[in-house]
Amino acid sequence: GVSLDRATVVRRACVYFGSCFAYLGFAHLIGLLPALLAFLVGYLRFAGGESWRSTLVLSGAVWLASYGLFHTLLVVPWPSTVLGDLFPALRGTRFLALF
C-alpha cells in the first residue's frame, strides 16, 4: 500500500473537515442545497484537483439529483436561512423555496 507521512495525513484531514464545517456555515447562510453545490465545486476543484469540466458536470449532476429527490419528489421543508430571512421573496416560489 501507499504510505503517507503524518504531515500529509493531518493536512488532508484539516482540508476535509474544514470543508465540512464550511458547508455547515454556508448551509446556515444560504441553505442546504445551494451550499451543497458550493461545497462540491470547491472540494472537487480545489481539494480534489479535478478539471473545471469534470467539477461542473459532476457537481451539477449531483445537485440536480438532490434537488429532484429532496425538493421535488420528497418535498422536504427546508430550514430557514439568513439569506431567506433577508430576502423573504426567495421563499415565495416553489422553485426557489430552498432558502
Side-chain angles (χ1 to χ4, degrees):
V2 177
S3 177
L4 299 174
D5 62 4
R6 185 176 183 85
T8 301
V9 172
V10 169
R11 182 177 44 79
R12 288 183 183 180
C14 288
V15 167
Y16 175 75
F17 287 111
S19 298
C20 290
F21 285 122
Y23 170 73
L24 292 175
F26 281 130
H28 176 69
L29 293 174
I30 64 174
L32 290 169
L33 281 180
L36 174 66
L37 183 61
F39 171 78
L40 288 171
V41 169
Y43 194 78
L44 287 172
R45 178 64 185 138
F46 301 110
E50 295 294 330
S51 69
W52 275 111
R53 182 171 191 247
S54 296
T55 296
L56 295 176
V57 167
L58 184 58
S59 298
V62 169
W63 189 85
L64 285 173
S66 297
Y67 179 87
L69 175 64
F70 296 111
H71 190 69
T72 305
L73 187 64
L74 297 175
V75 191
V76 170
W78 302 107
S80 62
T81 65
V82 173
L83 185 64
D85 291 341
L86 291 173
F87 303 101
L90 290 174
R91 297 184 190 140
T93 64
R94 173 81 182 109
F95 176 73
L96 288 176
L98 306 171
F99 306 98

